[in-house]
Amino acid sequence: MLLTIPKFLRSAGVACLDLLYPPHCAICLTATPSGEHLCLGCRKSAPVISALCCHTCSAPFSGQIDGPFSCPNCRERRFHFTCAVARYQSRDAVRELVHRFKYNGKVHLRNVLVDWLEETLDDPRLQTPPCDRIVPVPLHSTRERERGFNQARILAEGLARRSGIPLADCMKRIRYTTTQTIFDREERMENLRDAFRMRKNSDMHDLHLLLIDDVLTTGSTVDECARILIEAGAASVRVATVARA
Ligand SMILES: [Zn+2]
Ligand SMILES: [Zn+2]
């Protein structure tokens, strides 16, 4: 809708809004430049995951180590995705903004989240081979109606726009699953069984896919999506999220 408004009118509109509602940091409320929802201080305090992390799931590692490192969880488990990359830990300002975006409908915060998501593209694990398509983790249509949007698709669209990598909204969530967090691993897998399928006429053959979700927690959801995508012929699936638990 916004795109159909001439640019000068849009700028004038933004200037009026800035007067009525002075732009401020979503976390500490200090004044920010127009269009910014996080001040420099809060941006700098976001908990970054150093390069010293699990090669597969990006779990932070606090010690001395040389070369690629695998966390205990990834050593005993085989995922269908090659790696899951996140630049931030899901706590403090990062956790707060993701929460407001996802559960309180503060969709305007997406730009900050896409900034954080976009930083994953600097990671060597996502550069070779190059990603051919960006795929959002699907949300069940009932859940999407309740929430009003699919947070993963909004983030994936933002990343696709900035990176030039085409978006492929090629999956559907066909089972309305209950929340995953209370289950152990086997219960989670059972809960996800037949939850996803490919959309008709989507051809992902021989493509390197980048699967997008907001936060990586146990990895079970993205792993199940990766399983379906590989089964549909994808050459590989890597995962990028705004943050990881
Ligand atoms: Zn701030
Ligand atoms: Zn790991």
Side-chain angles (χ1 to χ4, degrees):
M1 194 66 120
L2 206 60
L3 291 173
T4 58
I5 302 170
K7 204 173 174 190
F8 71 93
L9 275 181
R10 219 186 309 156
S11 314
V14 169
C16 287
L17 275 175
D18 283 355
L19 276 177
L20 283 171
Y21 305 100
H24 59 272
C25 174
I27 298 293
C28 72
L29 306 180
T30 56
T32 55
S34 180
E36 292 287 334
H37 301 293
L38 201 61
C39 74
L40 218 57
C42 288
R43 216 176 253 275
K44 277 189 182 149
S45 71
V48 177
I49 297 172
S50 73
L52 212 62
C53 65
C54 173
H55 193 71
T56 307
C57 75
S58 303
F61 180 75
S62 55
Q64 290 290 318
I65 203 155
D66 291 320
F69 150 78
S70 224
C71 76
N73 189 32
C74 290
R75 257 177 268 154
E76 65 168 55
R77 187 172 173 190
R78 279 205 62 78
F79 290 109
H80 296 87
F81 54 81
T82 315
C83 59
V85 180
R87 270 281 285 158
Y88 294 90
Q89 277 182 278
S90 177
R91 49 184 178 82
D92 310 334
V94 176
R95 188 190 165 97
E96 179 65 28
L97 288 202
V98 170
H99 197 277
R100 286 192 211 170
F101 166 68
K102 191 169 164 179
Y103 299 111
N104 302 350
K106 306 281 185 204
V107 181
H108 65 279
L109 295 175
R110 67 183 177 274
N111 287 338
V112 182
L113 304 187
V114 175
D115 288 345
W116 287 331
L117 181 63
E118 193 182 11
E119 289 180 39
T120 61
L121 297 182
D122 296 332
D123 192 293
R125 290 173 289 172
L126 297 190
Q127 289 176 343
T128 328
C131 301
D132 297 312
R133 297 285 187 279
I134 288 176
V135 179
V137 167
L139 199 62
H140 191 274
S141 53
T142 308
R143 180 74 50 87
E144 191 164 339
R145 263 199 307 279
E146 285 165 5
R147 190 171 291 167
F149 58 93
N150 171 3
Q151 73 281 359
R153 191 189 305 121
I154 289 186
L155 296 170
E157 282 167 355
L159 189 65
R161 246 194 318 274
R162 291 197 197 175
S163 65
I165 303 169
L167 182 86
D169 195 359
C170 61
M171 299 187 84
K172 262 181 100 148
R173 191 161 192 149
I174 49 173
R175 262 190 54 210
Y176 189 94
T177 50
T178 39
T179 179
Q180 287 278 90
T181 40
I182 52 167
F183 296 143
D184 68 19
R185 189 193 298 169
E186 256 167 52
E187 289 170 324
R188 279 198 302 272
M189 297 316 275
E190 183 56 38
N191 189 40
L192 283 169
R193 192 186 298 273
D194 302 323
F196 303 101
R197 73 151 191 248
M198 298 298 291
R199 286 185 194 279
K200 283 199 184 77
N201 304 323
S202 52
D203 184 8
M204 294 295 117
H205 253 96
D206 296 328
L207 295 176
H208 295 288
L209 305 178
L210 183 61
L211 187 61
I212 303 298
D213 207 357
D214 50 352
V215 177
L216 185 88
T217 41
T218 63
S220 297
T221 303
V222 284
D223 191 44
E224 181 59 13
C225 289
R227 190 181 70 78
I228 303 286
L229 291 165
I230 296 280
E231 211 175 80
S236 75
V237 178
R238 283 164 287 177
V239 178
T241 55
V242 171
R244 83 182 306 296

